[in-house]
């Protein structure tokens, strides 16, 4: 199997994932060894939605590999404002660059865009769809803190619109995991995602809950997410669930001492700041892991021997 574009975590096998995580660990241990590895390489950044971590960590990663970035800037200041199609925009910018990173509010945008370009295209989030590079740094963080096999993970919050959740849940089916999904009924995982997960895992490793209480003591990792306000068609619907599913020090009294709390960030009010300085909190390390993991992804996709290729029998 060989991938020149990274669009969804569904395309990654366990060996693919391990190739990326192992490369990231190597780079993390000695970043200076790759400092000039991609000199003269240009990465195009096309962000049609707000971003802090994803965009800045891609930029940091490319620069730490010796390359540089060109940034489309905001939608307001680009030709998109004049009515240019996404297909035209990516075709033009691929002529300036060696790889593209795309974030877009519409689900499916990355798949569509990738059909128009030959340079590697990395999906940095397509609406409520997927966010596979976030998943790789999530897996890296989980592997460092709890290991990826025999893992019991709780994924809590906005499971309907949360693209980081959709990507992570799929990727975890490559490992021996028990996944508990905790959300209000209105923000449950989309049924098509549940169907896909059942296909991958016989359904044995997947359970849905409306409350954290019953499952918290059994968890190795609790992955908390933000309610995706911008994706609600109706603000009243958001108001009905806003402020639910928050955790604080009192909540965690029932947790195992070894629990790792993660969050893709940005957080709004899901995790009380009092947890930040406890041993539970891994979310700032998780964000920092975005740099070595994205360095590894870019390195694998930009090397002469291009693509993420693990050992697989597919
Ligand atoms: C996430 C996203 O954009 O999907 N942020 C990120 O990339 N770390 C999560 C979110 O916005 O809630």
């Amino acid at each position: 199997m060989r991938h020149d574009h990274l669009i969804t975590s569904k395309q990654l096998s366990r060996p693919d994932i391990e190739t990326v995580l192992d490369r990231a660990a190597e780079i993390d241990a000695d970043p200076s060894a790759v400092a000039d590895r991609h000199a003269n390489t240009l990465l195009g950044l096309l962000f049609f939605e707000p971003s802090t971590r994803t965009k800045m960590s891609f930029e940091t990663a490319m620069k730490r590999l010796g390359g540089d970035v060109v940034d489309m800037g905001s939608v307001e200041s680009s030709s998109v404002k004049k009515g240019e199609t996404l297909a035209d925009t990516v075709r033009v910018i691929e002529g300036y660059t060696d790889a593209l990173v795309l974030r877009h509010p519409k689900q499916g945008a990355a798949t569509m865009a990738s059909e128009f370009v030959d340079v590697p295209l990395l999906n940095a989030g397509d609406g409520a769809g997927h966010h596979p590079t976030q998943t790789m740094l999530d897996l890296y963080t989980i592997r460092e803190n709890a290991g990826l096999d025999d893992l019991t993970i709780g994924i809590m919050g906005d499971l309907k619109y949360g693209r980081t959740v959709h990507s992570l849940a799929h990727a975890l089916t490559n490992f021996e995991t028990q996944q508990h999904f905790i959300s209000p009924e209105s923000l449950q995982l989309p049924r098509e995602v549940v169907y896909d997960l059942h296909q991958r895992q016989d359904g044995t490793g997947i359970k849905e809950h409306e409350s954290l209480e019953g499952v918290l003591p059994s968890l190795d990792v609790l992955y908390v997410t933000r309610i995706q306000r911008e994706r609600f068609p109706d603000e009243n619907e958001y108001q009905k669930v806003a402020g639910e599913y928050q955790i604080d020090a009192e909540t965690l009294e029932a947790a195992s001492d070894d629990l790792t709390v993660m969050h893709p960030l940005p957080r709004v009010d899901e995790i009380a700041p009092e947890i930040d300085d406890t041993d539970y909190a891994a979310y700032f390390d998780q964000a920092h892991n975005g740099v070595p993991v994205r360095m590894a992804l870019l390195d694998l996709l930009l090397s002469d021997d291009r693509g993420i290729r693990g050992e697989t029998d597919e």
Side-chain angles (χ1 to χ4, degrees), residues 135-278:
T135 291
M136 299 310 296
L137 72 94
D138 292 343
L139 294 174
Y140 187 83
T141 309
I142 294 171
R143 188 167 86 163
E144 275 194 329
N145 284 276
L148 279 165
D149 279 312
D150 278 330
L151 174 76
T152 304
I153 184 169
I155 303 183
M156 181 168 89
D158 186 345
L159 312 182
K160 179 176 181 182
Y161 297 116
R163 56 196 174 197
T164 68
V165 172
H166 305 158
S167 278
L168 179 61
H170 276 290
L172 285 171
T173 60
N174 288 291
F175 302 89
E176 303 273 314
T177 53
Q178 173 66 52
Q179 300 193 58
H180 294 283
F181 296 102
I182 306 130
S183 72
E185 203 186 344
S186 63
L187 293 181
Q188 280 179 342
L189 279 177
R191 291 304 93 183
E192 64 272 17
V193 174
V194 176
Y195 176 80
D196 269 5
L197 296 178
H198 279 284
Q199 296 286 79
R200 294 270 308 161
Q201 229 184 16
D202 300 335
T204 50
I206 295 154
K207 289 203 179 111
E208 297 181 274
H209 312 264
E210 280 188 46
S211 152
L212 175 64
E213 213 182 337
V215 287
L216 180 60
S218 69
L219 300 182
D220 303 310
V221 172
L222 177 60
Y223 187 97
V224 183
T225 65
R226 174 179 72 88
I227 310 285
Q228 309 278 299
R229 182 178 197 163
E230 67 277 25
R231 308 221 187 277
F232 280 67
D234 179 349
E235 174 71 13
N236 290 326
E237 291 304 309
Y238 168 74
Q239 292 302 342
K240 281 187 200 157
V241 286
E244 285 193 53
Y245 299 87
Q246 298 171 335
I247 61 164
D248 56 19
E250 200 185 325
T251 320
L252 294 188
E253 278 170 18
S256 139
D257 287 346
D258 296 332
L259 177 75
T260 298
V261 176
M262 294 174 58
H263 191 304
L265 302 178
R267 75 174 144 182
V268 181
D269 51 11
E270 307 82 46
I271 301 179
E274 66 198 18
I275 297 178
D276 297 357
D277 295 325
T278 68

Side-chain angles (χ1 to χ4, degrees), residues 69-108:
V69 297
V70 284
D71 184 350
M72 181 187 81
S74 72
V75 169
E76 289 301 305
S77 66
S78 75
S79 282
V80 176
K81 206 57 194 158
K82 302 181 191 165
E84 185 169 58
T85 63
L86 177 60
D88 281 0
T89 304
V90 293
R91 268 188 291 200
V92 170
I93 300 180
E94 90 157 326
Y96 306 154
T97 59
D98 302 290
L100 297 173
V101 178
L102 173 69
R103 169 170 288 186
H104 199 278
K106 290 241 161 59
Q107 194 164 342

